Amino acid sequence: MAKGNNRSLLLAGLAAGAYAYFSKPENREKALVAFNNTKTKVNSFIESQKHTQTNSTKQGHSDPHDVDDNTMVDEGAMTSVQYYNDEVQSKTKNNDSVSNNENEENTTTTLNN
């Protein structure tokens, strides 16, 4: 029985607070604007969920639960990173070998003189 009384008092207090808050016209306007914004967001979310995703709408927005697509994205990223690393490493090795050859030639010419 006590639970029923507590709930009644809580509801009565909430109703009195809401009445006091909404008695001012500017508070009513704020609440109305917030309600309309929330309604618009919920409606747009529901509309976006109704459409099925095609390949053109999925581009750039990988679904976390689409395992095949995520695997493809993961492999693609690794391929480009591997290609970049190979290119940078081959250029560095070429530069190192050229500079080593120049140093060897300089030392042999200095020894011969």
Side-chain angles (χ1 to χ4, degrees), residues 3-4 11 17 31 41 69-70 73 88 90 101 111:
K3 287 184 183 179
L11 288 175
K41 288 179 184 178
D69 190 35
N70 287 332
V73 169
V88 169
S90 67
N101 288 340
L111 292 175

Side-chain angles (χ1 to χ4, degrees), residues 61-77:
H61 306 286
S62 180
D63 182 16
H65 302 292
D66 188 0
V67 177
D68 293 331
D69 190 35
N70 287 332
T71 303
M72 179 188 69
V73 169
D74 183 41
E75 289 171 356

Side-chain angles (χ1 to χ4, degrees), residues 84-96:
Y84 176 77
N85 287 340
D86 290 344
E87 288 295 313
V88 169
Q89 289 173 356
S90 67
K91 286 180 183 177
T92 327
K93 286 180 183 177
N94 288 340
N95 290 340
D96 288 343

Side-chain angles (χ1 to χ4, degrees), residues 25-51:
E26 59 268 5
N27 289 342
R28 283 193 298 259
E29 287 296 320
K30 286 181 193 176
L32 189 60
V33 168
F35 175 75
N36 286 334
N37 287 341
T38 304
K39 186 172 75 169
T40 303
K41 288 179 184 178
V42 168
N43 286 340
S44 69
F45 177 74
I46 289 172
E47 284 297 318
S48 71
Q49 295 300 314
K50 287 181 183 178
H51 300 291

